[in-house]
Amino acid sequence: MPGDIFINGNPFIEVLYKFPCPQRVLMVADGSLDFGTGGFGLSEFVQIVRNAGHTVTTAHRSGSGPASLSIAGNYNFATAATAVTVANYDQIWLFAFSTTALQPAEQQKIAQFMRDGGGLFATGDHDTIGAGMGANLPRVRTMRDWSSIPMATVDRHDTVLEHGADGIKQFNDQADAIPQRMFPVFFSNGGDPFAAATWAVHPVLRHSSGAVDYLPDHPHESRCLAPAPVAGNFAGVEEWPAPSGGGPRIAPVVVAVSISAGRFIVSGAPTASGTKPPVYPRSFGAISAYDGDPAAAGRIVCDATWHHFVNINLNGSGAGNDPTTGLPRTGLYAGGLPTPEYLKIRAYYLNTVRWLAPIGRRYCWPFLVAAAVRFDYEIAELRLPLPHPCPWDPLLKIGRAVEEVLLGRLGQGALADVVDGMLATAGRGSGLARLLDTAQAQTERKEGEAPLSLLPLQDMRRAVLGTFVNLLASKLPEDEQKLASIMRDHDGLAIDGIAESLRAAEAVIVEQIGKALEASAAQLQTLRAQPVSAGKPVKRPVAGGGKAAAPKKPAAKPKKVTRQ
């Protein structure tokens, strides 16, 4: 939801925030994980997602845990009373601990859900923890290491880089207020590689500061991977489907990298001695993502460990007392409030929920973002609405102003995110989508390859979103009661408004690009007709500024003398 960062006392945006974009999320845990308030509980994370307006259904494969579950008993994906289909859920989140494999029918049910466009998140921990679910699903099984990263040896992944307040590295320093610094990967949107606007982090790591760059730390994590897609089926579906319009199979990407460099753990470790050796410093994939949009398949996000989500790492539950204060550890809180780093981590959670939304369920987010921008105080100076459809020059002015607002509120890359959401709603298969959709741009362009097109892609994105914001300025009244009345049933307005804006923007873009191409064609003809080689070079000047001396005549050949 954009509301929490757009509001700033704005009464109109407060009204918009009352009508969120709910996703229907099924969260399933197993083994020692549950949804309670204990150390390995997920209660805080679930509450963060619910507070954002999403519907969360919780279940457990063995029906265990102190907290009441939305679905009681031993959960089975194949026989659940509410079928695991995209008609009932938008996305599934798997917090895996057990090594007990999914039944074949369960594998097939989840695999079909993913093939039908449903989103999926999966995580486990070190070694084979979580392999029962994660290692038995298409694409997910190779987007994360479900077996080889150890817990106790020097080969483990230890991200607790800083010792606690007492200056001693202990196992439960994972529950202090110092998270790990994580390094997001930057991706191109298909524009000029030497322009800053071309590069941004993956959408799950968007943040107004530029990127989410922290995660909770833990002394033994696994790793995420980006395998090369290959032909073949798994669990009854094609594992790596080809794009609907042709082209190479879509590959997943690592979107964040962590550093393992922990020192010797002196106490508290789950080993016989309570200690652990130091590790050799190295990096590893912390988060991986798969965008199945071009193949009409669901999106996937994998995380290196569920310790990025459980209570012991977030609020210190189950971690004992802080050795310096004698009081219970409080995790990523300071003075009872979440730390700035924790607020970034929360953004990762909610960004991921939004990004995993199926294609047919994304229209709400770009609508609410555009609506919030329409009422933003910085946009008020433009005195919208302007006539619709709007000509190119004033439209580009609107688009640039909108981009500046998004940059400050949501971070670099947000413009492309919103336009992608619009194209997924009403522009799939269009030429506009092929040019502007970032997933298609990354699929069709080879790594490191400069764009061949001279089209102003970022200006085209500005025109698309500028058109939408201008249109909403004419449809959303500056009256709180009337606005609330319209927003109670805004789905139709969102879908129709996106479609109308794309058509109007497309017409303006085609006209403008046509004019530019005509002018460029004339200029190209001039270049071809008057090459440099046909011109007359300037005479070379003489040193000293004097007149050029007349060229010397060649010396006469001496006459041949004939001796008498």
Side-chain angles (χ1 to χ4, degrees):
M1 267 297 300
D4 54 344
I5 54 176
F6 273 98
I7 288 179
N8 291 335
N10 188 316
F12 301 111
I13 299 180
E14 287 181 359
V15 172
L16 297 176
Y17 192 40
K18 295 176 182 178
F19 303 91
C21 301
Q23 284 286 291
R24 302 164 301 172
V25 184
L26 172 63
M27 292 189 181
V28 181
D30 65 10
S32 299
L33 297 175
D34 58 51
F35 296 97
T37 58
F40 278 15
L42 291 152
S43 59
E44 176 146 343
F45 165 71
V46 171
Q47 197 58 47
I48 291 169
V49 177
R50 283 177 171 160
N51 287 346
H54 302 294
T55 301
V56 178
T57 300
T58 57
H60 198 284
R61 291 180 71 200
S62 59
S64 63
S68 59
L69 298 167
S70 305
I71 302 175
N74 298 352
Y75 188 76
N76 184 295
F77 291 93
T79 61
T82 301
V84 180
T85 65
V86 291
N88 297 319
Y89 300 109
D90 297 313
Q91 49 191 272
I92 299 172
W93 286 57
L94 304 178
F95 294 94
F97 190 104
S98 173
T99 57
T100 302
L102 292 167
Q103 298 175 10
E106 292 184 284
Q107 285 180 278
Q108 293 168 14
K109 178 64 74 171
I110 300 172
Q112 191 60 52
F113 175 85
M114 298 162 68
R115 190 64 189 91
D116 290 340
L120 189 129
F121 171 90
T123 186
D125 202 23
H126 56 81
D127 293 297
T128 57
I129 289 181
M133 288 197 287
N136 289 288
L137 293 173
R139 298 183 290 287
V140 174
R141 65 188 183 126
T142 53
M143 286 177 59
R144 187 187 177 280
D145 191 327
W146 298 96
S147 63
S148 72
I149 306 301
M151 180 191 77
T153 69
V154 294
D155 296 319
R156 74 183 191 279
H157 287 156
D158 188 341
T159 61
V160 186
L161 306 186
E162 304 295 334
H163 56 68
D166 59 357
I168 303 171
K169 184 171 180 180
Q170 303 174 68
F171 184 75
N172 277 336
D173 288 339
Q174 66 174 323
D176 63 17
I178 307 172
Q180 63 165 301
R181 180 69 186 273
M182 171 268 287
F183 299 88
V185 178
F186 284 76
F187 297 90
S188 168
N189 62 21
D192 180 358
F194 294 94
T198 296
W199 298 96
V201 298
H202 191 275
V204 301
L205 299 177
R206 292 278 190 264
H207 192 268
S208 58
S209 67
V212 175
D213 48 10
Y214 288 94
L215 285 172
D217 52 6
H218 182 59
H220 35 247
E221 305 191 9
S222 187
R223 60 176 176 168
C224 292
L225 308 167
V230 296
N233 292 349
F234 185 82
V237 300
E238 186 178 14
E239 183 160 25
W240 300 97
S244 305
R249 299 175 191 275
I250 304 156
V253 292
V254 170
V255 305
V257 174
S258 286
I259 300 297
S260 172
R263 289 178 280 176
F264 190 90
I265 297 176
V266 302
S267 66
T271 60
S273 64
T275 64
K276 284 190 178 184
V279 296
Y280 187 82
R282 64 194 186 280
S283 64
F284 64 94
I287 305 168
S288 59
Y290 168 82
D291 189 350
D293 275 10
R299 289 171 166 175
I300 301 170
V301 173
C302 290
D303 194 290
T305 177
W306 35 253
H307 274 281
H308 297 161
F309 301 85
V310 293
N311 295 330
I312 190 172
N313 301 88
L314 303 187
N315 59 33
S317 177
N321 293 339
D322 185 311
T324 60
T325 65
L327 299 174
R329 293 180 183 266
T330 57
L332 299 174
Y333 285 85
L337 297 174
T339 64
E341 294 84 2
Y342 188 21
L343 293 178
K344 282 190 171 186
I345 293 166
R346 289 182 178 186
Y348 161 52
Y349 299 159
L350 299 181
N351 287 345
T352 302
V353 174
R354 176 185 65 78
W355 190 75
L356 288 175
I359 287 176
R361 296 273 293 160
R362 291 186 205 155
Y363 57 83
C364 180
W365 187 78
F367 166 74
L368 276 186
V369 170
V373 171
R374 176 261 184 274
F375 287 111
D376 192 274
Y377 293 132
E378 294 182 33
I379 299 300
E381 298 179 4
L382 298 178
R383 299 186 179 278
L384 303 181
L386 300 181
H388 175 78
C390 193
W392 175 263
D393 288 339
L395 184 60
L396 196 57
K397 181 180 179 181
I398 298 173
R400 291 185 184 279
V402 169
E403 184 180 29
E404 283 299 313
V405 171
L406 292 181
L407 184 63
R409 308 292 191 188
L410 299 175
Q412 187 72 278
L415 174 66
D417 284 352
V418 179
V419 172
D420 284 354
M422 294 175 66
L423 293 169
T425 299
R428 295 182 66 206
S430 67
L432 201 61
R434 183 162 186 175
L435 288 171
L436 300 185
D437 182 81
T438 51
Q440 289 201 8
Q442 290 166 5
T443 298
E444 295 180 4
R445 211 163 47 85
K446 296 179 180 179
E447 184 70 25
E449 181 181 67
L452 295 177
S453 174
L454 296 178
L455 293 179
L457 299 180
Q458 195 69 355
D459 278 351
M460 292 164 67
R461 292 186 180 95
R462 293 172 181 131
V464 169
L465 188 51
T467 299
F468 194 22
V469 171
N470 188 50
L471 176 65
L472 290 181
S474 68
K475 294 184 178 293
L476 299 178
E478 293 187 6
D479 181 290
E480 294 172 46
Q481 291 185 346
K482 291 181 180 179
L483 178 62
S485 178
I486 290 175
M487 289 298 295
R488 287 189 181 93
D489 185 21
H490 63 267
D491 285 0
L493 176 60
I495 295 171
D496 294 343
I498 288 173
E500 182 179 344
S501 297
L502 287 174
R503 289 193 298 269
E506 181 182 55
V508 175
I509 289 171
V510 168
E511 180 184 11
Q512 176 65 20
I513 297 301
K515 291 178 180 178
L517 288 176
E518 289 178 4
S520 296
Q523 293 165 351
L524 179 61
Q525 183 61 31
T526 300
L527 289 172
R528 287 173 172 169
Q530 301 174 12
V532 171
S533 59
K536 295 180 179 180
V538 175
K539 291 182 179 180
R540 182 168 45 183
V542 177
K547 292 184 179 180
K552 294 182 178 180
K553 293 182 179 180
K557 293 182 179 180
K559 293 182 179 180
K560 188 174 181 181
V561 179
T562 304
R563 297 194 176 206
Q564 297 288 330

